[in-house]
Amino acid sequence: MPIPTGRFAPTPSGRLHLGNILCAMLAYLSARSQAGRFLLRIEDVDIPRCPRRLAQQAIDDLTWLGFTWDEEPLYQSDRSDIYRAALHRLAEGGHTYPCFCTRAQLMSLAAPNLGDTQVIYQRTCANLTPEEAAQRALTRAPATRLRVPDEDISFTDGLFGIQTENLERDCGDFILRRSDGLYGYQLAVVVDDALQGVTEVVRGRDILSATPRQLYLQRLLGYGAPEYVHIPLLVDHHGRRLAKRDKDLDLTALAQRFTPADILGMLAFSAGLIEEVRPSTLEQLIPLFDWQKVKRDDLRLPECIMA
Ligand code: GLU
């Protein structure tokens, strides 16, 4: 049996918010309660959006809260060579193609069924001949897409049960490397989870629908799949989404009013790990941790966190 290995993988394009800290806490408690390893990975693959200053801030915030991790934090911005090699393997297998579409073209061709943030690619560039692709590459650097099959991919989420997605219908051919040369999140996360020996992925429910894509990439690259647990949304005591403008819940503001144990206690209460709000360190929460206690509905913060 491999050593149980969890990880927290923030994208430092802004300061960590309470939802991130809740994920980190549950990932940490799950790993440590199995006497497992816990890793920190900085997902700064989108280098321009993720300055090192914010990565360091995330590390400082986690340290202040009492998190410890095994090994040095890994920075995705240092790992382009590794992602390039994985992309090369996928290309050799005939699973990728260059895409010359501009953002404007993509938006105008989009099938309007996934909301405005995600669109299913209509395979405009999927069947270019090598000559056509070479011709277009003279004037525009292409992105690289993965060709996905018309296949249902299922997995069992630790909280939400069986989840199924048809990659062609629900997701479409997706980007592995952007036209500016930066690698996409899906590729980087799959490569890193595999190479770091991650056995359990705990992350926000907003990423649940990316999991079938990641399972498919794992299969193509010959990697095993970790277990997945997606965490419900963290909401305020009225059940409303937390807004970025909620400055009272910013860590700078919270740190003036609360200790790390206060904050972790409130999050542990929201998740259902403890029945009343009380200051709790990570050490104290480890023996109390049990996925069975974690609710599937939105997780409500206690009112006392509000200023
Ligand atoms: N980097 C992603 C985020 O901060 C999380 C990815 C993952 O946990 O797989 O939203």
Side-chain angles (χ1 to χ4, degrees), residues 108-255:
S108 68
L109 289 172
N113 51 350
L114 279 183
D116 24 281
T117 51
Q118 204 189 348
V119 292
I120 293 185
Y121 183 56
Q122 299 295 296
R123 295 198 159 143
T124 316
C125 296
N127 297 309
L128 296 177
T129 63
E131 294 72 30
E132 284 169 331
Q135 187 64 33
R136 295 214 193 167
L138 296 175
T139 53
R140 182 174 166 80
T144 306
R145 282 188 190 270
L146 186 79
R147 205 184 290 276
V148 299
D150 175 12
E151 181 186 324
D152 287 348
I153 306 243
S154 296
F155 70 100
T156 302
D157 182 84
L159 283 179
F160 291 101
I162 296 179
Q163 306 287 318
T164 304
E165 188 172 288
N166 180 295
L167 286 184
E168 190 178 78
R169 188 190 61 219
D170 304 330
C171 157
D173 295 349
F174 60 91
I175 300 226
L176 298 175
R177 194 182 59 190
R178 301 186 339 197
S179 59
D180 59 8
L182 293 177
Y183 290 90
Y185 157 69
Q186 311 292 348
L187 180 68
V189 83
V190 161
V191 168
D192 289 341
D193 281 338
L195 297 188
Q196 291 192 285
V198 170
T199 61
E200 182 179 80
V201 169
V202 176
R203 61 188 178 191
R205 185 165 186 176
D206 53 325
I207 313 182
L208 187 146
S209 67
T211 306
R213 272 172 273 178
Q214 296 178 12
L215 292 166
Y216 182 59
L217 274 175
Q218 284 156 6
R219 190 206 298 169
L220 294 181
L221 288 166
Y223 299 145
E227 302 286 331
Y228 288 95
V229 191
H230 292 87
I231 305 298
L233 195 66
L234 186 66
V235 294
D236 74 8
H237 59 291
H238 296 298
R240 286 186 300 237
R241 283 187 88 110
L242 305 178
K244 282 237 164 56
R245 57 178 187 280
D246 235 332
K247 283 279 171 256
D248 297 345
L249 298 183
D250 173 286
L251 262 184
T252 309
L254 288 175

Side-chain angles (χ1 to χ4, degrees), residues 13-197:
S13 57
R15 186 127 184 223
L16 294 182
H17 53 71
L18 281 174
N20 299 134
I21 296 166
L22 173 71
C23 268
M25 184 184 86
L26 293 174
Y28 179 93
L29 294 176
S30 182
R32 295 293 196 222
S33 65
Q34 302 169 68
R37 298 190 308 149
F38 179 71
L39 307 176
L40 177 63
R41 182 167 77 230
I42 304 295
E43 299 214 316
D44 57 351
V45 74
D46 190 346
I47 297 165
R49 286 184 53 230
C50 299
R52 280 277 162 143
R53 166 181 66 76
L54 285 175
Q56 189 54 49
Q57 174 86 69
I59 291 174
D60 293 346
D61 287 342
L62 292 168
T63 306
W64 180 73
L65 287 160
F67 286 91
T68 56
W69 44 87
D70 300 294
E71 305 176 2
E72 287 298 304
L74 183 149
Y75 287 77
Q76 288 189 329
S77 55
D78 293 338
R79 295 168 62 80
S80 311
D81 289 349
I82 297 170
Y83 308 138
R84 184 177 305 115
L87 186 64
H88 184 69
R89 279 168 55 205
L90 295 168
E92 295 269 278
H95 299 290
T96 67
Y97 61 88
C99 171
F100 297 90
C101 293
T102 61
R103 200 176 150 71
Q105 278 169 325
L106 292 175
M107 296 315 277
S108 68
L109 289 172
N113 51 350
L114 279 183
D116 24 281
T117 51
Q118 204 189 348
V119 292
I120 293 185
Y121 183 56
Q122 299 295 296
R123 295 198 159 143
T124 316
C125 296
N127 297 309
L128 296 177
T129 63
E131 294 72 30
E132 284 169 331
Q135 187 64 33
R136 295 214 193 167
L138 296 175
T139 53
R140 182 174 166 80
T144 306
R145 282 188 190 270
L146 186 79
R147 205 184 290 276
V148 299
D150 175 12
E151 181 186 324
D152 287 348
I153 306 243
S154 296
F155 70 100
T156 302
D157 182 84
L159 283 179
F160 291 101
I162 296 179
Q163 306 287 318
T164 304
E165 188 172 288
N166 180 295
L167 286 184
E168 190 178 78
R169 188 190 61 219
D170 304 330
C171 157
D173 295 349
F174 60 91
I175 300 226
L176 298 175
R177 194 182 59 190
R178 301 186 339 197
S179 59
D180 59 8
L182 293 177
Y183 290 90
Y185 157 69
Q186 311 292 348
L187 180 68
V189 83
V190 161
V191 168
D192 289 341
D193 281 338
L195 297 188
Q196 291 192 285

